[in-house]
Amino acid sequence: MSCPVTCAAWVCRGVAKETPEKVQLSQEELNDLIEEAQDRLGDAADGSDEGQMASGVNVDAPGRAKSSHENEDPPDDELDEYDLENYDEEECTGDLKLGDSLATLAVYGSNDNDPYITLKTTDQYEEEDFLIKPTDNLVLCGRVDKDYCSLEVHVYNHEENSFYIHHDIILPAYPLSLEWLNFDPNPDESVGNYVAVGNMTPVIDIWDLDVVESLEPVFSLGGKKEKKKKKKGKKSLSSEETVKGHTDAVLDLSWNKQSRNVLASASADSTVILWDMSVGKPAASLMLHTDKVQTLQFHPFETQTLISGSYDKSAVLYDCRNPQDNHRVWRFSGQVERVTWNHFSPCNFLVSTEDGFVYCLDARSDKPLFTLKAHDEEVSGLQLSSQIKGCLVTSSADKHVKIWDILGDRPSLVHSRDMKMGVLFCSACCPDLPFVFAFGGERDGLRVWDISKISAVNEVFGNRERLVLANANSVASSSSNDLETAMES
């Protein structure tokens, strides 16, 4: 059965707790959850019954018809054909009895005494898999099954060549985007290990990745527009209550690494919202697009700089200190699918579109540095290697992943592969391992691929310059004034 993976994200090494916590509910908390679930099911059943009564359908009739059919006796011709009346009186005609076949079989009292069983118990291995090692990366993905949606937390260890599901979290709606963050809203300002999940509802849920078997998010941003039902003994304050935030699905998220309490969200309601997670409310709403906002990303080094891409075939660069008056717009041939900053060239960013093109742009110029026809269909994944300069990996609805060398703004194809995963929805590069990428598609779950095993990749990028994070901020700060000038012009 096909179980699509719609979004993916990595967690750096050394971030997760060595021993994750497990949720243990008290009897009172369990009863509250059961009552809440029963209330929801009751409301759904009431709505269903009202609809059926309105359409004049008798819901009991099919059940009665089925029951009467099951109680009927089988026809006489079946009894005669298979001699069912004498079924219990049949005698065994074989010479071999079950007791005889097992008579010479030796059995040990326990696995500890059996020399042929080398794995006496699996408890030790399960405990080892539960622990998170300092060399482990977490890989997160949103998975859609037939009956439910979940957030899967995988453990990937490159040195040990291990990759397995550590735990999963049941999600309330179809997942569309994931963004890791370490901001903790608690007053002590501790560093956490969280993931923000955007889905088909206007609500953004933030989950604690260090807690296993959690039933509720740590906190949520935004809310649904709900009708209030009048309950017995209570006065109805209003027929509707509107919570500030998005009014449609959340398509993408971006966390500000410099201003850690800020999260940006892109929505199908054509808006971008900047959230202040310390208070759980929107700090600003950006409404410069005229159609669904599909993608967005904060600048890796400049706190105030944000770029977004939309179905209106445009990308907008904002100075978030004064976004309405200080922004810049680029137009493209198709709907924008993904945007990403080039952390090697802080003034440059990449844009992919639904018609298979990839554009490289300088924030200070209107014309693209290069235009690349990368795929035959929409480019759903657009990832630069975390450390290898000029290494670009794209994935597409045409089922292929392609590796490009874009050094010197002259893109050339290094390798192409059909992943056999159907339509590809997402890709993500490991922050600690520059050649390791994760991909999600319409089948075969989440797949991790180390592209360094390809000879052509080693040939091109083996001796290529790598990003040194210690120097990245100094490079970015030198370009800060250029970006501000670009948006003012």
Side-chain angles (χ1 to χ4, degrees):
M1 182 179 65
S2 176
C3 297
V5 169
T6 56
C7 45
W10 288 84
V11 179
C12 294
R13 292 174 175 176
V15 171
K17 285 185 180 179
E18 181 181 2
T19 306
E21 301 174 6
K22 284 190 176 182
V23 173
Q24 292 184 345
L25 296 177
S26 65
Q27 188 61 42
E28 183 179 353
E29 290 172 330
L30 187 59
N31 291 336
D32 291 342
L33 287 172
I34 293 173
E35 289 179 6
E36 184 179 350
Q38 288 176 341
D39 290 342
R40 290 178 181 176
L41 291 173
D43 293 341
D46 292 342
S48 176
D49 291 344
E50 289 175 3
Q52 288 170 341
M53 291 176 65
S55 59
V57 178
N58 187 346
V59 296
D60 294 331
R64 287 200 299 267
K66 183 178 181 181
S67 175
S68 62
H69 179 73
E70 288 177 350
N71 293 332
E72 290 179 0
D73 293 331
D76 293 338
D77 55 347
E78 290 186 10
L79 293 175
D80 295 338
E81 181 179 355
Y82 299 105
D83 196 18
L84 296 179
E85 290 184 347
N86 301 320
Y87 178 79
D88 295 330
E89 300 176 4
E90 290 182 1
E91 297 181 0
C92 180
T93 57
D95 296 332
L96 184 64
K97 295 183 179 180
L98 181 60
D100 295 337
S101 64
L102 300 178
T104 58
L105 182 63
V107 180
Y108 289 92
S110 70
N111 289 344
D112 295 331
N113 300 325
D114 193 335
Y116 294 102
I117 297 180
T118 57
L119 182 61
K120 307 300 182 182
T121 177
T122 60
D123 293 344
Q124 176 186 351
Y125 295 93
E126 290 175 357
E127 290 174 2
E128 288 179 1
D129 286 345
F130 188 73
L131 299 178
I132 306 297
K133 300 177 183 178
T135 55
D136 286 340
N137 283 103
L138 298 185
V139 197
L140 317 174
C141 72
R143 188 182 179 99
V144 181
D145 286 280
K146 183 178 180 181
D147 300 322
Y148 68 97
C149 301
S150 63
L151 170 67
E152 290 184 346
V153 181
H154 297 250
V155 172
Y156 177 77
N157 191 298
H158 188 70
E159 288 75 15
E160 298 177 2
N161 195 28
S162 63
F163 181 54
Y164 60 91
I165 298 177
H166 186 272
H167 66 277
D168 63 354
I169 299 170
I170 303 301
L171 297 177
Y174 194 104
L176 297 173
S177 57
L178 300 176
E179 181 75 350
W180 180 84
L181 51 95
N182 67 12
F183 175 75
D184 193 325
N186 292 329
D188 58 3
E189 296 185 357
S190 60
V191 176
N193 181 23
Y194 301 105
V195 62
V197 182
N199 56 51
M200 282 291 192
T201 75
V203 182
I204 303 166
D205 292 325
I206 288 81
W207 298 86
D208 191 340
L209 296 173
D210 289 332
V211 177
V212 178
E213 298 176 359
S214 56
L215 299 175
E216 294 180 326
V218 179
F219 62 96
S220 298
L221 301 172
K224 301 175 183 177
K225 189 176 181 181
E226 298 178 346
K227 290 184 178 180
K228 294 291 182 180
K229 294 184 178 180
K230 188 175 181 180
K231 296 183 178 180
K232 294 181 179 179
K234 293 185 179 181
K235 295 182 179 180
S236 177
L237 298 178
S238 62
S239 59
E240 288 187 350
E241 179 183 0
T242 304
V243 180
K244 288 185 177 180
H246 289 297
T247 58
D248 208 336
V250 178
L251 305 181
D252 200 13
L253 298 164
S254 182
W255 174 55
N256 195 314
K257 295 177 178 61
Q258 280 71 42
S259 184
R260 293 173 46 247
N261 64 311
V262 177
L263 180 73
S265 59
S267 174
D269 63 9
S270 306
T271 67
V272 171
I273 290 182
L274 304 180
W275 298 89
D276 184 352
M277 292 186 289
S278 61
V279 295
K281 295 180 180 179
S285 293
L286 315 180
M287 295 177 284
L288 296 177
H289 288 291
T290 58
D291 205 341
K292 300 179 183 69
V293 187
Q294 170 80 350
T295 176
L296 81 172
Q297 190 178 84
F298 273 112
H299 194 281
F301 315 118
E302 297 299 324
T303 307
Q304 74 281 359
T305 306
L306 175 73
I307 191 165
S308 64
S310 169
Y311 278 29
D312 63 11
K313 302 182 180 181
S314 75
V316 179
L317 179 67
Y318 310 86
D319 183 337
C320 294
R321 296 170 297 189
N322 186 13
Q324 201 63 34
D325 299 328
N326 208 3
H327 63 270
R328 190 165 192 161
V329 182
W330 289 264
R331 302 288 177 183
F332 303 96
S333 58
Q335 298 173 357
V336 176
E337 293 291 331
R338 307 301 304 168
V339 295
T340 187
W341 287 99
N342 187 342
H343 41 270
F344 302 99
S345 303
C347 287
N348 294 354
F349 63 95
L350 296 161
V351 176
S352 68
T353 59
E354 62 165 343
D355 51 358
F357 283 93
V358 172
Y359 300 85
C360 180
L361 297 114
D362 189 320
R364 301 161 296 186
S365 174
D366 292 328
K367 294 183 179 180
L369 299 175
F370 68 77
T371 301
L372 171 66
K373 177 61 175 175
H375 291 271
D376 296 329
E377 297 185 42
E378 65 186 58
V379 183
S380 55
L382 186 68
Q383 290 287 315
L384 285 164
S385 170
S386 56
Q387 299 174 25
I388 306 299
K389 193 172 184 180
C391 180
L392 172 67
V393 175
T394 60
S395 60
S396 171
D398 66 10
K399 308 176 184 179
H400 284 76
V401 168
K402 293 184 179 181
I403 304 166
W404 305 87
D405 180 10
I406 62 169
L407 196 64
D409 298 328
R410 294 182 178 180
S412 60
L413 180 63
V414 177
H415 184 76
S416 176
R417 176 176 293 184
D418 184 348
M419 298 296 286
K420 309 295 183 184
M421 298 170 65
V423 174
L424 296 171
F425 297 129
C426 59
S427 62
C429 180
C430 178
D432 301 299
L433 302 163
F435 288 116
V436 177
F437 292 79
F439 300 94
E442 63 180 340
R443 61 174 181 267
D444 291 346
L446 181 71
R447 185 175 300 178
V448 174
W449 183 21
D450 182 359
I451 64 173
S452 66
K453 295 180 180 179
I454 302 168
S455 59
V457 172
N458 270 324
E459 233 176 88
V460 176
F461 301 110
N463 299 317
R464 184 68 60 86
E465 178 185 358
R466 299 196 178 197
L467 173 68
V468 181
L469 294 177
N471 298 333
N473 289 326
S474 61
V475 172
S477 61
S478 66
S479 65
S480 176
N481 294 333
D482 292 336
L483 282 173
E484 292 179 13
T485 305
M487 286 182 284
E488 289 172 358
S489 61

